[in-house]
Amino acid sequence: MMSRSVMKASMTSMSLCLVICCQVLGAVATGCKSQQKVPPAIFMFGDGTLDVSNNNYLNYTDDWGEPNRANHPYYGIDFPNSEPTGRFSNGYNIADFIAMAMGLEISPPAYLSLTSPISVKDFTGVNYASEGGRIWNYSILVDDSEVTIPLLRQLDYFADTKAQMAPQLGNHQLRKLLSKSLFLISVGSKDIFHISTFTVRPRPINNTAYVSKLVTSFGASMETLYNEGARKFAVINIPPIGCAPGMRGKAVGRRSHHFGPGGCDETLNELVVEFNDGLRRLLYSLSSKLDGLRYSIGDFYGFSNGTFANPGASGT
């Protein structure tokens, strides 16, 4: 059972999860008006919001050093047995809450944690997300200094998963399973951070053009998944990362909007809003041209701003 502190801290995340579940699959989670079958599997892609230990298995490199890992205290302090599992949270993360809303006990396993070939028996899906994961395979703006699994490599890992499942199910049954499965994606914050570094230059580059290219790249990844058999997508947009604790301190001297003590980096949040608006238009366009594609957007940005403005309403 979750501790009271975990339950209070996660109310906003759980609300976000319920919205995603209800919109994508019609009604599969507690709180929806009706019930339908839960998806046969959940495949998760993205960054640290969904990572459930993939970064634990990444190795040190001479060029980039150690990856960011969450396998040490005080990560996991509110997880059962206070165990640091590789989740970048006190306890369960969004991946877990969505899985729970779908009827699972916890997120599907991290891809890199699998020590034996994938078996379709009792299969619930795979989680490919990695802290620091980004849409672009490398940053076209600045040198990257993190060991992570970018989205394109996560798609390669999914292709490997599919190849392992095909001999067990046959192509027809595999296509059927994938078409009914949920594909959850939460990524883009890292890319926006990179783009934002150029706003402080005396003559900044056209950040709008880069955000547009980023949205286009995200769309290409979605089309890759669609061509591999995905039909049901749940996409979580980027939260107001300009309000992250580290960014509030850097906002001093720049335009900022205050939510109580401290201020947010409004310039960074404007890029986030631009991406989120482009994401909404992209998904509408893809659903119009790709037969059978269904999607939901989890408004992480809106939920976060609501929590900042009125913490008591979400139990925090």
Side-chain angles (χ1 to χ4, degrees):
M1 179 179 293
M2 286 186 290
S3 69
R4 181 171 297 180
S5 61
V6 175
M7 293 177 68
K8 290 179 67 176
S10 64
M11 287 183 69
T12 299
S13 296
M14 181 60 78
S15 298
L16 174 66
C17 298
L18 291 175
V19 169
I20 292 172
C21 297
C22 293
Q23 291 181 347
V24 173
L25 298 175
V28 297
T30 303
C32 298
K33 293 182 179 180
S34 61
Q35 292 187 348
Q36 295 180 1
K37 291 182 179 180
V38 300
I42 308 175
F43 299 93
M44 302 184 174
F45 305 82
D47 55 26
T49 57
L50 300 178
D51 188 356
V52 295
S53 75
N54 277 308
N55 273 32
N56 287 359
Y57 300 91
L58 298 180
N59 297 319
Y60 169 90
T61 69
D62 290 335
D63 291 332
W64 295 331
E66 294 285 354
N68 288 328
R69 299 189 184 99
N71 58 351
H72 54 84
Y74 289 95
Y75 290 114
I77 193 170
D78 293 317
F79 201 81
N81 301 318
S82 296
E83 178 185 4
T85 61
R87 291 163 172 79
F88 288 80
S89 65
N90 288 356
Y92 296 108
N93 66 8
I94 290 177
D96 297 307
F97 288 125
I98 290 181
M100 292 174 188
M102 295 293 183
L104 303 181
E105 293 184 1
I106 203 167
S107 166
Y111 174 82
L112 294 183
S113 73
L114 300 174
T115 58
S116 58
I118 290 174
S119 171
V120 297
K121 182 180 180 181
D122 299 323
F123 181 77
T124 60
V126 182
N127 187 320
Y128 308 94
S130 168
E131 165 60 23
R134 52 197 183 274
I135 296 170
W136 282 325
N137 211 29
Y138 57 90
S139 173
I140 61 176
L141 299 176
V142 295
D143 291 334
D144 198 273
S145 59
E146 286 191 69
V147 181
T148 186
I149 309 172
L151 182 58
L152 292 181
R153 193 178 308 161
Q154 294 178 33
L155 299 185
D156 290 339
Y157 289 162
F158 170 70
D160 174 67
T161 300
K162 184 179 172 183
Q164 293 183 54
M165 297 172 68
Q168 302 174 64
L169 290 175
N171 290 331
H172 175 73
Q173 287 300 318
L174 178 57
R175 285 195 299 270
K176 184 177 179 180
L177 181 147
L178 294 178
S179 69
K180 295 182 178 181
S181 296
L182 176 64
F183 287 75
L184 174 66
I185 310 174
S186 177
V187 70
S189 295
K190 182 70 173 180
D191 303 274
I192 294 296
F193 271 125
H194 281 178
I195 292 173
S196 74
T197 61
F198 283 75
T199 63
V200 298
R201 290 190 170 192
R203 298 178 63 184
I205 62 171
N206 185 352
N207 290 319
T208 298
Y210 276 107
V211 172
S212 178
K213 290 179 181 178
L214 187 63
V215 172
T216 299
S217 296
F218 182 86
S221 293
M222 280 196 61
E223 290 197 59
T224 296
L225 286 172
Y226 177 88
N227 291 333
E228 291 285 352
R231 292 297 181 269
K232 294 182 173 69
F233 292 88
V235 180
I236 301 175
N237 68 14
I238 302 177
I241 54 179
C243 296
M247 299 311 299
R248 284 175 179 259
K250 294 180 181 179
V252 176
R254 302 175 70 183
R255 289 186 301 136
S256 61
H257 179 71
H258 289 266
F259 294 97
C264 299
D265 186 331
E266 186 179 344
T267 301
L268 183 56
N269 283 344
E270 286 173 355
L271 292 176
V272 172
V273 170
E274 190 174 328
F275 176 86
N276 289 342
D277 287 345
L279 177 66
R280 176 175 47 80
R281 292 190 296 269
L282 168 75
L283 292 174
Y284 179 81
S285 175
L286 290 177
S287 68
S288 299
K289 74 175 185 177
L290 299 178
D291 184 50
L293 186 149
R294 298 174 62 190
Y295 73 91
S296 166
I297 300 177
D299 187 11
F300 206 170
Y301 190 96
F303 274 89
S304 298
N305 270 348
T307 300
F308 297 153
N310 188 6
S314 63
T316 56

